[in-house]
Amino acid sequence: MGRQPCCEKSGLKRGPWTMEEDDKLMHYILNNGIQCWRLVPKHAGLMRCGKSCRLRWINYLRPDLKRGAFTEAEEDMIIELHSRLGNRWSKIAAHFGGRTDNEIKNHWNTRIKKRMKLMGLDPLTHKPILFDQTYKADQDSIITESVEIHQESNLSLPPLEDYLQIQEKAEVSASNDEERNDVTNSIMFRNEDFSVDCYYQSWMDNPFFWDGFTTLTDNFP
DNA sequence: AAGGCGCGCAACCGCATCAAA
DNA sequence: TTTTGATGCGGTTGCGCGCCT
């Protein structure tokens, strides 16, 4: 015997909300407030489940919602917060007045992820993709993309094979995740063979200085 | 003109968490 | 302490729209 559904499903309307429904919900909440979402549709005269009403109110009808496209400053703030909080969208949204978790999540998945990949950063770890051992074979294209960006910028980078060989050695010799991380970090920060370490370090410290439009040579020494 | 395709967004689903009984 | 129901959250889906061929 499974868990009871949050509300009686039969006869309930689903899909996009009509203006009339929005109007009913908006007026009900503005006049009565929210005591119990389960009761809201009943009292407001809506054939919707309480959960659906809650979502509609939070993501669309709330008067304090900020409309319009995200600014670059907001995107940078999302990236910064995501690097600290991960996919905790509601926590991230709490730092924005008038932006919803759903909105931020959607924006992350459709825009920011692409922007970060273009910057050569892994959206999961926020580290440069070249060094990120969590990126496996199915993401080779992204690595290649990243390398191409560097090549286009005329930087004298060591060949990709060098990085991959070292990464491979690190993975083979390390016995656990922690050790693997240590090895990778040592590759990234301490191996003197890589003269580019210093600017990768600064890139990791502050990836936001690159606006995504100027070339990397403008920013890297 | 129409069909295919990709993108962005709204909404849904199922699990987690919390609080009251 | 356990059970139960409401709410919150994050992942996923599906639809509409615009662009391209």
Side-chain angles (χ1 to χ4, degrees), chain A residues 147-193:
Chain A
V147 169
E148 282 167 1
I149 289 169
H150 290 291
Q151 284 170 345
E152 280 169 20
S153 68
N154 298 320
L155 290 169
S156 55
L157 291 177
L160 174 63
E161 289 70 25
D162 288 0
Y163 292 108
L164 296 180
Q165 272 178 19
I166 287 168
Q167 187 173 315
E168 201 175 312
K169 281 177 192 168
E171 285 183 21
V172 169
S173 61
S175 57
N176 56 47
D177 284 349
E178 200 177 338
E179 205 174 312
R180 264 189 285 276
N181 280 336
D182 289 345
V183 176
T184 306
N185 285 338
S186 73
I187 292 166
M188 288 164 66
F189 301 124
R190 289 193 284 277
N191 193 321
E192 292 177 0
D193 291 336

mmCIF file of all heavy atoms in Angstrom, chain A residues 147-193:
data_model
loop_
_atom_site.group_PDB
_atom_site.id
_atom_site.type_symbol
_atom_site.label_atom_id
_atom_site.label_comp_id
_atom_site.label_asym_id
_atom_site.label_seq_id
_atom_site.Cartn_x
_atom_site.Cartn_y
_atom_site.Cartn_z
ATOM 1 N N VAL A 147 40.183 23.166 -25.207
ATOM 2 C CA VAL A 147 41.520 23.264 -25.769
ATOM 3 C C VAL A 147 41.512 24.164 -26.990
ATOM 4 O O VAL A 147 42.392 25.006 -27.177
ATOM 5 C CB VAL A 147 42.052 21.864 -26.145
ATOM 6 C CG1 VAL A 147 43.315 21.975 -26.964
ATOM 7 C CG2 VAL A 147 42.302 21.062 -24.892
ATOM 8 N N GLU A 148 40.462 24.025 -27.809
ATOM 9 C CA GLU A 148 40.368 24.860 -29.005
ATOM 10 C C GLU A 148 40.327 26.339 -28.646
ATOM 11 O O GLU A 148 40.937 27.161 -29.308
ATOM 12 C CB GLU A 148 39.137 24.471 -29.824
ATOM 13 C CG GLU A 148 39.382 23.203 -30.634
ATOM 14 C CD GLU A 148 38.091 22.623 -31.196
ATOM 15 O OE1 GLU A 148 37.036 23.225 -30.957
ATOM 16 O OE2 GLU A 148 38.172 21.579 -31.856
ATOM 17 N N ILE A 149 39.588 26.639 -27.572
ATOM 18 C CA ILE A 149 39.493 28.035 -27.140
ATOM 19 C C ILE A 149 40.890 28.570 -26.818
ATOM 20 O O ILE A 149 41.263 29.649 -27.227
ATOM 21 C CB ILE A 149 38.570 28.162 -25.912
ATOM 22 C CG1 ILE A 149 37.131 27.930 -26.338
ATOM 23 C CG2 ILE A 149 38.703 29.547 -25.273
ATOM 24 C CD1 ILE A 149 36.170 27.768 -25.163
ATOM 25 N N HIS A 150 41.663 27.740 -26.088
ATOM 26 C CA HIS A 150 43.016 28.165 -25.735
ATOM 27 C C HIS A 150 43.891 28.304 -26.969
ATOM 28 O O HIS A 150 44.674 29.238 -27.078
ATOM 29 C CB HIS A 150 43.646 27.166 -24.761
ATOM 30 C CG HIS A 150 43.024 27.215 -23.418
ATOM 31 N ND1 HIS A 150 43.171 28.271 -22.559
ATOM 32 C CD2 HIS A 150 42.197 26.347 -22.789
ATOM 33 C CE1 HIS A 150 42.489 28.048 -21.450
ATOM 34 N NE2 HIS A 150 41.890 26.880 -21.566
ATOM 35 N N GLN A 151 43.703 27.357 -27.913
ATOM 36 C CA GLN A 151 44.533 27.404 -29.118
ATOM 37 C C GLN A 151 44.216 28.653 -29.933
ATOM 38 O O GLN A 151 45.102 29.323 -30.438
ATOM 39 C CB GLN A 151 44.309 26.142 -29.954
ATOM 40 C CG GLN A 151 45.020 24.944 -29.342
ATOM 41 C CD GLN A 151 44.638 23.635 -29.999
ATOM 42 O OE1 GLN A 151 43.650 23.572 -30.713
ATOM 43 N NE2 GLN A 151 45.424 22.599 -29.741
ATOM 44 N N GLU A 152 42.908 28.965 -30.002
ATOM 45 C CA GLU A 152 42.506 30.167 -30.740
ATOM 46 C C GLU A 152 43.118 31.417 -30.129
ATOM 47 O O GLU A 152 43.329 32.412 -30.787
ATOM 48 C CB GLU A 152 40.990 30.291 -30.754
ATOM 49 C CG GLU A 152 40.340 29.397 -31.799
ATOM 50 C CD GLU A 152 38.835 29.351 -31.610
ATOM 51 O OE1 GLU A 152 38.296 30.265 -30.961
ATOM 52 O OE2 GLU A 152 38.222 28.410 -32.109
ATOM 53 N N SER A 153 43.359 31.355 -28.836
ATOM 54 C CA SER A 153 43.881 32.532 -28.157
ATOM 55 C C SER A 153 45.404 32.627 -28.279
ATOM 56 O O SER A 153 46.012 33.496 -27.689
ATOM 57 C CB SER A 153 43.480 32.506 -26.687
ATOM 58 O OG SER A 153 44.152 31.455 -26.037
ATOM 59 N N ASN A 154 46.034 31.711 -29.080
ATOM 60 C CA ASN A 154 47.475 31.726 -29.336
ATOM 61 C C ASN A 154 48.323 31.578 -28.078
ATOM 62 O O ASN A 154 49.409 32.130 -27.987
ATOM 63 C CB ASN A 154 47.878 33.022 -30.064
ATOM 64 C CG ASN A 154 47.188 33.102 -31.396
ATOM 65 O OD1 ASN A 154 47.062 32.107 -32.098
ATOM 66 N ND2 ASN A 154 46.710 34.293 -31.741
ATOM 67 N N LEU A 155 47.808 30.907 -27.085
ATOM 68 C CA LEU A 155 48.603 30.685 -25.887
ATOM 69 C C LEU A 155 49.535 29.513 -26.110
ATOM 70 O O LEU A 155 49.205 28.570 -26.814
ATOM 71 C CB LEU A 155 47.703 30.371 -24.690
ATOM 72 C CG LEU A 155 46.872 31.528 -24.185
ATOM 73 C CD1 LEU A 155 45.853 31.015 -23.187
ATOM 74 C CD2 LEU A 155 47.749 32.584 -23.553
ATOM 75 N N SER A 156 50.714 29.546 -25.505
ATOM 76 C CA SER A 156 51.639 28.421 -25.648
ATOM 77 C C SER A 156 51.380 27.409 -24.551
ATOM 78 O O SER A 156 52.056 27.377 -23.538
ATOM 79 C CB SER A 156 53.082 28.920 -25.566
ATOM 80 O OG SER A 156 53.244 29.643 -24.369
ATOM 81 N N LEU A 157 50.351 26.621 -24.737
ATOM 82 C CA LEU A 157 49.999 25.608 -23.737
ATOM 83 C C LEU A 157 50.732 24.317 -24.030
ATOM 84 O O LEU A 157 51.021 24.005 -25.186
ATOM 85 C CB LEU A 157 48.504 25.331 -23.783
ATOM 86 C CG LEU A 157 47.598 26.434 -23.301
ATOM 87 C CD1 LEU A 157 46.151 25.996 -23.482
ATOM 88 C CD2 LEU A 157 47.868 26.742 -21.844
ATOM 89 N N PRO A 158 51.035 23.545 -23.009
ATOM 90 C CA PRO A 158 51.561 22.204 -23.243
ATOM 91 C C PRO A 158 50.504 21.398 -23.995
ATOM 92 O O PRO A 158 49.323 21.683 -23.864
ATOM 93 C CB PRO A 158 51.758 21.646 -21.831
ATOM 94 C CG PRO A 158 51.706 22.810 -20.924
ATOM 95 C CD PRO A 158 50.848 23.825 -21.601
ATOM 96 N N PRO A 159 50.921 20.391 -24.766
ATOM 97 C CA PRO A 159 49.945 19.604 -25.516
ATOM 98 C C PRO A 159 48.933 18.941 -24.588
ATOM 99 O O PRO A 159 49.278 18.580 -23.456
ATOM 100 C CB PRO A 159 50.796 18.543 -26.221
ATOM 101 C CG PRO A 159 52.193 18.925 -26.008
ATOM 102 C CD PRO A 159 52.270 19.916 -24.913
ATOM 103 N N LEU A 160 47.747 18.767 -25.081
ATOM 104 C CA LEU A 160 46.694 18.128 -24.290
ATOM 105 C C LEU A 160 47.130 16.757 -23.791
ATOM 106 O O LEU A 160 46.821 16.357 -22.671
ATOM 107 C CB LEU A 160 45.431 17.990 -25.144
ATOM 108 C CG LEU A 160 44.290 17.212 -24.523
ATOM 109 C CD1 LEU A 160 43.777 17.923 -23.270
ATOM 110 C CD2 LEU A 160 43.151 17.048 -25.518
ATOM 111 N N GLU A 161 47.912 16.044 -24.645
ATOM 112 C CA GLU A 161 48.324 14.693 -24.277
ATOM 113 C C GLU A 161 49.091 14.691 -22.949
ATOM 114 O O GLU A 161 48.981 13.774 -22.150
ATOM 115 C CB GLU A 161 49.207 14.078 -25.375
ATOM 116 C CG GLU A 161 48.473 13.714 -26.651
ATOM 117 C CD GLU A 161 48.032 14.941 -27.433
ATOM 118 O OE1 GLU A 161 48.649 16.029 -27.285
ATOM 119 O OE2 GLU A 161 47.039 14.841 -28.175
ATOM 120 N N ASP A 162 49.896 15.748 -22.732
ATOM 121 C CA ASP A 162 50.664 15.817 -21.494
ATOM 122 C C ASP A 162 49.736 15.825 -20.287
ATOM 123 O O ASP A 162 49.961 15.129 -19.309
ATOM 124 C CB ASP A 162 51.525 17.098 -21.463
ATOM 125 C CG ASP A 162 52.684 16.995 -22.426
ATOM 126 O OD1 ASP A 162 52.792 15.937 -23.081
ATOM 127 O OD2 ASP A 162 53.465 17.948 -22.527
ATOM 128 N N TYR A 163 48.697 16.643 -20.373
ATOM 129 C CA TYR A 163 47.764 16.717 -19.264
ATOM 130 C C TYR A 163 47.060 15.384 -19.048
ATOM 131 O O TYR A 163 46.915 14.904 -17.937
ATOM 132 C CB TYR A 163 46.697 17.784 -19.520
ATOM 133 C CG TYR A 163 47.236 19.172 -19.503
ATOM 134 C CD1 TYR A 163 47.350 19.897 -20.675
ATOM 135 C CD2 TYR A 163 47.638 19.752 -18.302
ATOM 136 C CE1 TYR A 163 47.845 21.181 -20.664
ATOM 137 C CE2 TYR A 163 48.130 21.037 -18.281
ATOM 138 C CZ TYR A 163 48.237 21.761 -19.467
ATOM 139 O OH TYR A 163 48.709 23.018 -19.439
ATOM 140 N N LEU A 164 46.648 14.803 -20.170
ATOM 141 C CA LEU A 164 45.884 13.555 -20.066
ATOM 142 C C LEU A 164 46.748 12.435 -19.504
ATOM 143 O O LEU A 164 46.293 11.624 -18.710
ATOM 144 C CB LEU A 164 45.313 13.169 -21.428
ATOM 145 C CG LEU A 164 44.300 14.166 -21.987
ATOM 146 C CD1 LEU A 164 43.777 13.696 -23.340
ATOM 147 C CD2 LEU A 164 43.137 14.372 -21.029
ATOM 148 N N GLN A 165 48.015 12.409 -19.911
ATOM 149 C CA GLN A 165 48.916 11.372 -19.400
ATOM 150 C C GLN A 165 49.088 11.499 -17.894
ATOM 151 O O GLN A 165 49.005 10.530 -17.156
ATOM 152 C CB GLN A 165 50.292 11.482 -20.082
ATOM 153 C CG GLN A 165 50.360 10.677 -21.370
ATOM 154 C CD GLN A 165 51.717 10.855 -22.043
ATOM 155 O OE1 GLN A 165 52.682 11.275 -21.396
ATOM 156 N NE2 GLN A 165 51.778 10.541 -23.328
ATOM 157 N N ILE A 166 49.304 12.731 -17.463
ATOM 158 C CA ILE A 166 49.517 12.959 -16.028
ATOM 159 C C ILE A 166 48.240 12.631 -15.260
ATOM 160 O O ILE A 166 48.269 12.001 -14.211
ATOM 161 C CB ILE A 166 49.949 14.421 -15.781
ATOM 162 C CG1 ILE A 166 51.381 14.579 -16.264
ATOM 163 C CG2 ILE A 166 49.818 14.780 -14.320
ATOM 164 C CD1 ILE A 166 51.860 16.001 -16.345
ATOM 165 N N GLN A 167 47.130 13.042 -15.848
ATOM 166 C CA GLN A 167 45.844 12.760 -15.204
ATOM 167 C C GLN A 167 45.633 11.254 -15.080
ATOM 168 O O GLN A 167 45.231 10.746 -14.041
ATOM 169 C CB GLN A 167 44.726 13.382 -16.037
ATOM 170 C CG GLN A 167 43.385 13.306 -15.387
ATOM 171 C CD GLN A 167 42.365 14.097 -16.202
ATOM 172 O OE1 GLN A 167 42.632 15.201 -16.631
ATOM 173 N NE2 GLN A 167 41.206 13.542 -16.397
ATOM 174 N N GLU A 168 45.994 10.545 -16.160
ATOM 175 C CA GLU A 168 45.836 9.092 -16.175
ATOM 176 C C GLU A 168 46.710 8.447 -15.095
ATOM 177 O O GLU A 168 46.267 7.607 -14.331
ATOM 178 C CB GLU A 168 46.241 8.565 -17.547
ATOM 179 C CG GLU A 168 45.652 7.200 -17.857
ATOM 180 C CD GLU A 168 45.989 6.801 -19.285
ATOM 181 O OE1 GLU A 168 45.805 7.629 -20.198
ATOM 182 O OE2 GLU A 168 46.470 5.682 -19.459
ATOM 183 N N LYS A 169 47.971 8.909 -15.025
ATOM 184 C CA LYS A 169 48.891 8.363 -14.022
ATOM 185 C C LYS A 169 48.337 8.593 -12.623
ATOM 186 O O LYS A 169 48.396 7.720 -11.761
ATOM 187 C CB LYS A 169 50.269 9.027 -14.141
ATOM 188 C CG LYS A 169 51.112 8.473 -15.266
ATOM 189 C CD LYS A 169 52.426 9.233 -15.342
ATOM 190 C CE LYS A 169 53.171 8.906 -16.620
ATOM 191 N NZ LYS A 169 54.287 9.820 -16.851
ATOM 192 N N ALA A 170 47.827 9.778 -12.421
ATOM 193 C CA ALA A 170 47.279 10.113 -11.102
ATOM 194 C C ALA A 170 46.142 9.172 -10.751
ATOM 195 O O ALA A 170 46.053 8.671 -9.630
ATOM 196 C CB ALA A 170 46.776 11.556 -11.098
ATOM 197 N N GLU A 171 45.294 8.901 -11.737
ATOM 198 C CA GLU A 171 44.136 8.038 -11.479
ATOM 199 C C GLU A 171 44.568 6.600 -11.193
ATOM 200 O O GLU A 171 44.020 5.940 -10.330
ATOM 201 C CB GLU A 171 43.189 8.075 -12.669
ATOM 202 C CG GLU A 171 42.409 9.369 -12.735
ATOM 203 C CD GLU A 171 41.415 9.343 -13.882
ATOM 204 O OE1 GLU A 171 41.070 8.239 -14.323
ATOM 205 O OE2 GLU A 171 41.012 10.407 -14.324
ATOM 206 N N VAL A 172 45.581 6.158 -11.937
ATOM 207 C CA VAL A 172 46.027 4.779 -11.777
ATOM 208 C C VAL A 172 46.714 4.584 -10.427
ATOM 209 O O VAL A 172 46.456 3.623 -9.705
ATOM 210 C CB VAL A 172 46.996 4.380 -12.922
ATOM 211 C CG1 VAL A 172 47.672 3.056 -12.632
ATOM 212 C CG2 VAL A 172 46.209 4.289 -14.224
ATOM 213 N N SER A 173 47.599 5.525 -10.081
ATOM 214 C CA SER A 173 48.394 5.341 -8.868
ATOM 215 C C SER A 173 47.629 5.633 -7.596
ATOM 216 O O SER A 173 47.930 5.079 -6.550
ATOM 217 C CB SER A 173 49.635 6.221 -8.915
ATOM 218 O OG SER A 173 49.231 7.576 -9.001
ATOM 219 N N ALA A 174 46.620 6.489 -7.668
ATOM 220 C CA ALA A 174 45.899 6.834 -6.447
ATOM 221 C C ALA A 174 44.977 5.700 -6.039
ATOM 222 O O ALA A 174 44.361 5.045 -6.870
ATOM 223 C CB ALA A 174 45.091 8.101 -6.670
ATOM 224 N N SER A 175 44.911 5.496 -4.739
ATOM 225 C CA SER A 175 44.102 4.371 -4.265
ATOM 226 C C SER A 175 42.705 4.789 -3.843
ATOM 227 O O SER A 175 41.830 3.958 -3.669
ATOM 228 C CB SER A 175 44.803 3.692 -3.095
ATOM 229 O OG SER A 175 45.027 4.628 -2.074
ATOM 230 N N ASN A 176 42.483 6.069 -3.635
ATOM 231 C CA ASN A 176 41.145 6.518 -3.277
ATOM 232 C C ASN A 176 40.914 7.936 -3.781
ATOM 233 O O ASN A 176 41.824 8.577 -4.315
ATOM 234 C CB ASN A 176 40.939 6.467 -1.758
ATOM 235 C CG ASN A 176 41.997 7.270 -1.027
ATOM 236 O OD1 ASN A 176 42.287 8.411 -1.396
ATOM 237 N ND2 ASN A 176 42.587 6.655 -0.022
ATOM 238 N N ASP A 177 39.690 8.429 -3.599
ATOM 239 C CA ASP A 177 39.313 9.734 -4.137
ATOM 240 C C ASP A 177 40.155 10.861 -3.558
ATOM 241 O O ASP A 177 40.581 11.767 -4.259
ATOM 242 C CB ASP A 177 37.838 10.014 -3.846
ATOM 243 C CG ASP A 177 36.947 9.222 -4.787
ATOM 244 O OD1 ASP A 177 37.507 8.656 -5.765
ATOM 245 O OD2 ASP A 177 35.742 9.155 -4.541
ATOM 246 N N GLU A 178 40.392 10.750 -2.244
ATOM 247 C CA GLU A 178 41.140 11.821 -1.583
ATOM 248 C C GLU A 178 42.546 11.954 -2.170
ATOM 249 O O GLU A 178 43.035 13.023 -2.474
ATOM 250 C CB GLU A 178 41.207 11.524 -0.085
ATOM 251 C CG GLU A 178 41.525 12.748 0.748
ATOM 252 C CD GLU A 178 41.510 12.386 2.229
ATOM 253 O OE1 GLU A 178 40.877 11.373 2.577
ATOM 254 O OE2 GLU A 178 42.140 13.079 3.000
ATOM 255 N N GLU A 179 43.149 10.760 -2.328
ATOM 256 C CA GLU A 179 44.501 10.742 -2.875
ATOM 257 C C GLU A 179 44.522 11.283 -4.305
ATOM 258 O O GLU A 179 45.396 12.042 -4.692
ATOM 259 C CB GLU A 179 45.004 9.300 -2.856
ATOM 260 C CG GLU A 179 46.526 9.204 -2.819
ATOM 261 C CD GLU A 179 46.937 7.754 -2.647
ATOM 262 O OE1 GLU A 179 46.368 7.076 -1.760
ATOM 263 O OE2 GLU A 179 47.783 7.301 -3.411
ATOM 264 N N ARG A 180 43.474 10.876 -5.052
ATOM 265 C CA ARG A 180 43.381 11.340 -6.438
ATOM 266 C C ARG A 180 43.298 12.864 -6.480
ATOM 267 O O ARG A 180 43.921 13.517 -7.294
ATOM 268 C CB ARG A 180 42.158 10.719 -7.116
ATOM 269 C CG ARG A 180 42.507 9.479 -7.920
ATOM 270 C CD ARG A 180 41.307 9.038 -8.740
ATOM 271 N NE ARG A 180 40.299 8.384 -7.914
ATOM 272 C CZ ARG A 180 40.331 7.109 -7.587
ATOM 273 N NH1 ARG A 180 41.287 6.338 -8.017
ATOM 274 N NH2 ARG A 180 39.400 6.594 -6.822
ATOM 275 N N ASN A 181 42.526 13.429 -5.564
ATOM 276 C CA ASN A 181 42.394 14.881 -5.502
ATOM 277 C C ASN A 181 43.729 15.542 -5.199
ATOM 278 O O ASN A 181 44.090 16.539 -5.792
ATOM 279 C CB ASN A 181 41.377 15.285 -4.424
ATOM 280 C CG ASN A 181 39.959 15.136 -4.936
ATOM 281 O OD1 ASN A 181 39.731 15.174 -6.139
ATOM 282 N ND2 ASN A 181 39.026 14.943 -4.029
ATOM 283 N N ASP A 182 44.455 14.925 -4.248
ATOM 284 C CA ASP A 182 45.752 15.483 -3.887
ATOM 285 C C ASP A 182 46.680 15.519 -5.093
ATOM 286 O O ASP A 182 47.364 16.507 -5.343
ATOM 287 C CB ASP A 182 46.399 14.649 -2.765
ATOM 288 C CG ASP A 182 45.676 14.859 -1.440
ATOM 289 O OD1 ASP A 182 44.911 15.832 -1.349
ATOM 290 O OD2 ASP A 182 45.897 14.052 -0.527
ATOM 291 N N VAL A 183 46.700 14.390 -5.796
ATOM 292 C CA VAL A 183 47.585 14.300 -6.959
ATOM 293 C C VAL A 183 47.189 15.343 -7.988
ATOM 294 O O VAL A 183 48.037 16.048 -8.546
ATOM 295 C CB VAL A 183 47.524 12.888 -7.577
ATOM 296 C CG1 VAL A 183 48.365 12.825 -8.836
ATOM 297 C CG2 VAL A 183 48.011 11.868 -6.579
ATOM 298 N N THR A 184 45.894 15.435 -8.234
ATOM 299 C CA THR A 184 45.423 16.395 -9.231
ATOM 300 C C THR A 184 45.784 17.821 -8.825
ATOM 301 O O THR A 184 46.231 18.621 -9.634
ATOM 302 C CB THR A 184 43.901 16.279 -9.404
ATOM 303 O OG1 THR A 184 43.593 14.933 -9.704
ATOM 304 C CG2 THR A 184 43.429 17.159 -10.545
ATOM 305 N N ASN A 185 45.614 18.109 -7.545
ATOM 306 C CA ASN A 185 45.958 19.443 -7.064
ATOM 307 C C ASN A 185 47.446 19.725 -7.256
ATOM 308 O O ASN A 185 47.835 20.825 -7.622
ATOM 309 C CB ASN A 185 45.587 19.602 -5.586
ATOM 310 C CG ASN A 185 44.103 19.771 -5.421
ATOM 311 O OD1 ASN A 185 43.429 20.174 -6.365
ATOM 312 N ND2 ASN A 185 43.586 19.451 -4.255
ATOM 313 N N SER A 186 48.252 18.687 -7.006
ATOM 314 C CA SER A 186 49.683 18.900 -7.152
ATOM 315 C C SER A 186 50.030 19.154 -8.611
ATOM 316 O O SER A 186 50.934 19.913 -8.919
ATOM 317 C CB SER A 186 50.452 17.719 -6.604
ATOM 318 O OG SER A 186 50.325 16.613 -7.463
ATOM 319 N N ILE A 187 49.281 18.496 -9.500
ATOM 320 C CA ILE A 187 49.504 18.746 -10.928
ATOM 321 C C ILE A 187 49.142 20.189 -11.252
ATOM 322 O O ILE A 187 49.855 20.902 -11.935
ATOM 323 C CB ILE A 187 48.638 17.802 -11.790
ATOM 324 C CG1 ILE A 187 49.121 16.369 -11.642
ATOM 325 C CG2 ILE A 187 48.684 18.213 -13.245
ATOM 326 C CD1 ILE A 187 48.125 15.358 -12.178
ATOM 327 N N MET A 188 48.022 20.597 -10.684
ATOM 328 C CA MET A 188 47.509 21.918 -11.020
ATOM 329 C C MET A 188 48.367 23.045 -10.478
ATOM 330 O O MET A 188 48.583 24.045 -11.122
ATOM 331 C CB MET A 188 46.089 22.084 -10.488
ATOM 332 C CG MET A 188 45.084 21.284 -11.256
ATOM 333 S SD MET A 188 43.571 21.147 -10.335
ATOM 334 C CE MET A 188 43.030 22.822 -10.314
ATOM 335 N N PHE A 189 48.845 22.882 -9.263
ATOM 336 C CA PHE A 189 49.421 24.037 -8.593
ATOM 337 C C PHE A 189 50.935 23.976 -8.372
ATOM 338 O O PHE A 189 51.567 24.981 -8.177
ATOM 339 C CB PHE A 189 48.745 24.237 -7.238
ATOM 340 C CG PHE A 189 47.284 24.444 -7.362
ATOM 341 C CD1 PHE A 189 46.396 23.626 -6.691
ATOM 342 C CD2 PHE A 189 46.786 25.443 -8.186
ATOM 343 C CE1 PHE A 189 45.045 23.814 -6.818
ATOM 344 C CE2 PHE A 189 45.431 25.644 -8.318
ATOM 345 C CZ PHE A 189 44.558 24.829 -7.635
ATOM 346 N N ARG A 190 51.512 22.775 -8.391
ATOM 347 C CA ARG A 190 52.898 22.720 -7.961
ATOM 348 C C ARG A 190 53.877 22.230 -9.021
ATOM 349 O O ARG A 190 55.072 22.333 -8.845
ATOM 350 C CB ARG A 190 53.005 21.872 -6.695
ATOM 351 C CG ARG A 190 52.413 22.559 -5.484
ATOM 352 C CD ARG A 190 52.804 21.843 -4.208
ATOM 353 N NE ARG A 190 52.049 20.627 -4.004
ATOM 354 C CZ ARG A 190 50.837 20.595 -3.471
ATOM 355 N NH1 ARG A 190 50.229 21.703 -3.126
ATOM 356 N NH2 ARG A 190 50.201 19.464 -3.298
ATOM 357 N N ASN A 191 53.371 21.677 -10.116
ATOM 358 C CA ASN A 191 54.295 21.140 -11.104
ATOM 359 C C ASN A 191 54.934 22.273 -11.900
ATOM 360 O O ASN A 191 54.289 22.980 -12.647
ATOM 361 C CB ASN A 191 53.531 20.198 -12.046
ATOM 362 C CG ASN A 191 54.486 19.377 -12.866
ATOM 363 O OD1 ASN A 191 55.524 19.874 -13.301
ATOM 364 N ND2 ASN A 191 54.149 18.117 -13.043
ATOM 365 N N GLU A 192 56.223 22.427 -11.722
ATOM 366 C CA GLU A 192 56.906 23.558 -12.350
ATOM 367 C C GLU A 192 57.003 23.418 -13.859
ATOM 368 O O GLU A 192 57.330 24.371 -14.548
ATOM 369 C CB GLU A 192 58.286 23.714 -11.741
ATOM 370 C CG GLU A 192 58.229 24.151 -10.289
ATOM 371 C CD GLU A 192 59.601 24.243 -9.675
ATOM 372 O OE1 GLU A 192 60.585 23.956 -10.393
ATOM 373 O OE2 GLU A 192 59.685 24.587 -8.496
ATOM 374 N N ASP A 193 56.765 22.212 -14.349
ATOM 375 C CA ASP A 193 56.843 22.016 -15.800
ATOM 376 C C ASP A 193 55.785 22.826 -16.521
ATOM 377 O O ASP A 193 55.908 23.130 -17.690
ATOM 378 C CB ASP A 193 56.677 20.538 -16.154
ATOM 379 C CG ASP A 193 57.871 19.738 -15.690
ATOM 380 O OD1 ASP A 193 58.956 20.330 -15.535
ATOM 381 O OD2 ASP A 193 57.711 18.529 -15.476
#
